[in-house]
Amino acid sequence: MANEVIFHSIHQPESWKLSSYLATGGYEMLKKVVTEKVPPEEIINQVKISALRGRGGAGFPTGLKWSFMPRHFQGDKYLVCNTDEGEPGTFKDRDIIRFNPHQLIEGMAIAAYTMGVKVGYNYIHGEIWEAYERFEEALEEARAAGFLGDNLFGTDFCFNLHAHQGYGAYVCGEETALLESIEGKKGQPRFKPPFPASFGLYGKPTTINNTETFASIPYIIRHGGQKFLELGKPNNGGTKIFSVSGHVNKPGNFEIGMGTPFAELLEMAGGVRSGHKLKAVIPGGSSVPVVPAEIMMDLTMDYDSIAKAGSMLGAGSVIVMDETVCMVKALERLSYFYFEESCGQCTPCREGTGWLYRVIHRIEHGQGRAEDLDLLANVTSNISGRTICALGDAAAMPVQGMLKHYRNEFEYHVEHKKCMV
Amino acid sequence: MANIEIDGRQVEVKDGSTVMDAARQLGIYIPHFCYHKKLSIAANCRMCLVQVEKAPKPLPACATPVTDGMKVFTQSESAIRAQKGVMEFLLINHPLDCPICDQGGECQLQDLAVGYGNAASRYHEEKRVVSNKELGPLIATDMTRCIQCTRCVRFGQEIGGIMELGQAGRGEHVEIMPFVERTVNSELSGNMIDLCPVGALTSKPFRYSARAWELTRRASVSPHDGLGANLAVQVKANRVYRVVPRENEDVNECWLSDKDRFSYEGLNSAQRLTQPMLKRHGEWQECDWQTALEYVANGLKRIRDDHGAAQIGALATPHSTLEELYLLQKFMRGIGSGNVDHRTRQSDFRLDAALQGAPWLGQSIVELQEVKSALVIGSTLRKDHPLLAQRLRQAVKAGAELSLVNPVDDDLLVSVANKLIVAPSNLVNALSQVLKALAELERTEVPTALAGISVTPAAAAIAASLSRGEKAAVLLGNLAQHHPRYSELHILAQEIARISGASLGVLGEAANSVGACLAGAVPYAGPLGRDAGTGMNAAEMLATPRLAYVLLNTEIELDSHDPQQAVRAMEQAELVVALSAYRHQALNYADVLLPVAPFTETFGTFVNTEGRAQSFNAVVKPQGEARPAWKVLRVLGNMFNLNGFGYNSAEEVRAEIIARGAMSLHEACNNQSRNIQLGDAAPAAVSGLQRIAEVPIYQADAVVRRADSLQRTVDGAAPGAVMNGVLLQQLQVEDGEMVVVRQGDGSTVMRARRDDALPLDCVRVAAGHPLTATLGPMFGEIVVEKA
């Protein structure tokens, strides 16, 4: 069941070209919904049946999100694709754009048709220039072939899609910061409510989805929501791309059905590098709590299973760590990232991320104090849930996860001024 | 409406309200920093986190909309924990340098730290240090203290109309800063000092001079522009140390213009006149009051007896109080002269006989903010009336269309929908075009005088904007009132307002422009418009020199329409009596200087441009031998044995004009001229170059002229001779080069400046500035030559 939805055409020569995409039935579904005037309600219903959930990390049901968009709103509305993939451990969206950009374009066009949108943007992370250029090429191809633009397929449906290159700030992956950034402002999350569905880009109703989410749409239209759902498991429909990195023999992107056992995914990634054994896994990108090996090996790769283990599937970015990893050092690096990437808007995150990093840095460098661990736990609880966006939580969760499962390593560092690993 | 419960108390609030709004309605205080009732919601400080029933985490009260049945707890354990957590974060990188911080004692962070902070810090890491920023002569910075609430940034964007501060950087490295190498130049910049909840932005002129708790706060009213901003003057040891706003939603809201805020420096100027002075045998000598007043009385009596009272003229500024102006005219009329006027910058008085009341805003200041369309005629509004401009800025933000007919096209920091930028000589024509377009649009009879006028598209657009049937205002600004054809501009504006259904407003140039008319300090009418015989207006008094002048608070060489003519008249006079708070150029032409109290040292009343009478008490004792001018005039009245000069207090003077308790005098105000004869509207033929003169914001009156910090701002810089690039080229002058500017027999050397928005054949040379005090009429012919 691998590569069923997104990477199904990856074996094609130059799979990113329009010709390759067309050879595998590309844009047929767009043409079908537009020319046959498939009722939008029907499309939304299929997306709901598919149990497709937001692939950017939050896992919000896509069909439900689409139903929030005021379909009959007169005036400008926008569709935005979030390709601002910037969290440590994530690298799936860039490969979607590199190897199958047209499926994303088709998915967005179908979404635009469904929600009555005429203009869309794909916000691409500032540090993946090659992917950005490839997407621009794909846009040109699609425009030239009449899949983007005005009066598509001779109907009154118009959809103009633009690529927008970000500048690399992690926080711009937060959807409202991303909108601010497109508007040319400093990328800082907005307070919600109002939500983008009512007050989004330029203050207009806007739907924002992740790259992988949009790219899953053509499959759902072609095969129906039920078939997509069955690729995964109930409430966790479809396949999902897992980006496996760290101490495995074959790191990379793996598109597999939701609910696949972690052990199988690890196997696909060539297993833990030889001579070493699995210590822990960060299953969903650097912001989610770490899961120790013994727990992880019993989990399946889907939203619900990982959540039950106290972590999150996130964007499916699986960071594998073997026994050589010092958790203090790992956390120091993670905390530096959040310290560096906090936008600085909300007090707890602006001030707290630096505090966390400095304390962990001290512990790592043999200057920890006995009270530091409780202090860290307390500071994270003062950050969590107290900020406009989830970056504060993202900074707190790795600390909380590490302290929960590996407190002994931190205590050892404090006591012995050195690493136990 | 929604019913919600906060801390167990029920309240009904409007839909769309926030939890903070509801709490304020109940009088429940929720700690906050970034929230400010006049600014947009940022929700970034997180201090106002409260517990909301059924919400999984604490929510910011400032940004959380109420829903019916919502239950909020501002003091619950979860709320307090959240608030204390935020306070700890705010303090970890704060320098805690309260003992050397000017904000100490009036610091929101300090106050709230008492309630929500810990006794000791758990933060033992390195603290952040942020470099200070040079924001100009008014705002001092200690940016390490900044808590990033962004109030100052939002103020600029939303109230000031210009974003001069922004938040650059990310995370812990965010910094509030101006644009590279720029200072903060907004005429409303001082409000950022008030808004700053910590000591990051403090007052530079006040810096390190007193502690907040040493100062006594006394209510007063601004003596500057027509708004009449309410002031809290802060005093220590009989000296004014600082001025901050006294909130009045109907007038200045919680804001002050920088002029209102920082002009107090002028009160403590070394130029203050503190002893009566007499010129004897060409030498100035200090003397006592008795000697000085006897000299004045004898001198005036002699001239009256020898040459008639009509040889005596009185000129005042409309920055004087109602009581002073009333007594001045009462004294003048008492000794037999009707020559009294406060309109020293006006040149066209043809409308005087047709006026039916004191010219005023025509509506309340609050109503001005609600207009849907406004036409401003002859004003750089944000410099003439900074906070009225702010009201219009809010109106425009709410959808109003602003139109402008003016000779200059400065950035008003508000979007101007339509504008007609024409030479002063074409203002009447421009306004005639608007009237004609409007008459055609409204299908009323086009006045015959306008038959030959051709309507430009801009004029048609202005007419269309006014004729939409919504609340509109036509406003005559300072420049229009000083214009040599003001009568026609007024009549045209009146007709435009009549046909479009707009309200007609005359923007009072000074704090007491309306009060001066009501006090009868005009030759055409006595107090409250009562018949008072005849007299000469300001222009006549100066064009036909009098033998004696009484000057009240005016520096005539800076305050008059034609300083050359004014100074010549003074020099020719036998007796010039100057009642002034300052030693100034009058030393060159006056014979007696009588030290009078500025507004902070006397009881007085200003009637603002909306007809609101606002009285104030002295906040300090007069400096030296200075006396309130009303007392001086009362004694002079006694010396002439005039009836009705037995006042025991200024309140008694006030009571003679205004009934006790009366606040609004707008019944006595009226902008409608009885005469609506339209003159020749054809563009005037002009030879040579025309001068465009406005009074710079910090040169408008004697007090502000001596406010050193304001003089060091961009607005306080020496004025240039500003011209269109085409004209510069014709004169073979480069932008920035020095030029000789000549009017009549006076000249001055200034820097040429280029502004391509100016009409051709015009030279913009400010009036009211020492550099241009040797020049002639504000809109007269002017010569520019290479220096």
Side-chain angles (χ1 to χ4, degrees), chain B residues 371-408:
Chain B
V371 297
K372 294 286 175 234
S373 175
L375 167 61
V376 173
I377 303 159
S379 178
T380 302
L381 201 58
R382 61 179 269 235
K383 300 298 180 192
D384 291 346
H385 306 278
L387 285 173
L388 287 177
Q390 192 277 133
R391 293 274 188 176
L392 275 180
R393 189 172 297 134
Q394 300 309 321
V396 169
K397 264 194 199 165
E401 270 189 20
L402 179 62
S403 305
L404 182 68
V405 176
N406 205 28
V408 302

Side-chain angles (χ1 to χ4, degrees), chain B residues 60-203:
Chain B
C62 69
T64 303
V66 296
T67 51
D68 203 37
M70 185 183 247
K71 275 190 183 168
V72 178
F73 307 92
T74 71
Q75 308 274 346
S76 67
E77 201 223 322
S78 129
I80 296 287
R81 195 169 356 105
Q83 292 159 8
K84 286 190 165 178
V86 171
M87 176 53 76
E88 180 177 40
F89 285 131
L90 284 171
L91 293 178
I92 63 171
N93 276 310
H94 190 77
L96 302 174
D97 59 344
C98 310
I100 56 153
C101 175
D102 253 9
Q103 192 85 350
E106 51 182 8
C107 173
Q108 232 174 316
L109 185 65
Q110 199 180 36
D111 292 350
L112 289 178
V114 174
Y116 300 89
N118 289 322
S121 176
R122 298 193 291 169
Y123 185 77
H124 302 293
E125 322 305 323
E126 263 175 44
K127 285 202 174 210
R128 170 182 58 216
V129 175
V130 183
S131 66
N132 290 338
K133 312 291 182 284
E134 174 52 45
L135 302 184
L138 303 179
I139 304 176
T141 66
D142 287 277
M143 298 316 281
T144 303
R145 297 175 185 149
C146 175
I147 59 167
Q148 311 298 340
C149 70
T150 68
R151 278 183 176 185
C152 54
V153 177
R154 284 175 284 147
F155 175 84
Q157 291 171 308
E158 295 161 20
I159 308 293
I162 179 167
M163 185 180 176
E164 292 183 297
L165 290 177
Q167 188 188 44
R170 204 166 63 195
E172 208 183 88
H173 309 296
V174 288
E175 281 183 51
I176 300 294
M177 55 170 70
F179 290 96
V180 177
E181 297 291 302
R182 299 278 184 87
T183 51
V184 169
N185 302 325
S186 158
E187 62 283 350
L188 300 175
S189 70
N191 294 298
M192 298 184 199
I193 298 168
D194 294 340
L195 287 171
C196 183
V198 297
L201 306 179
T202 53
S203 165

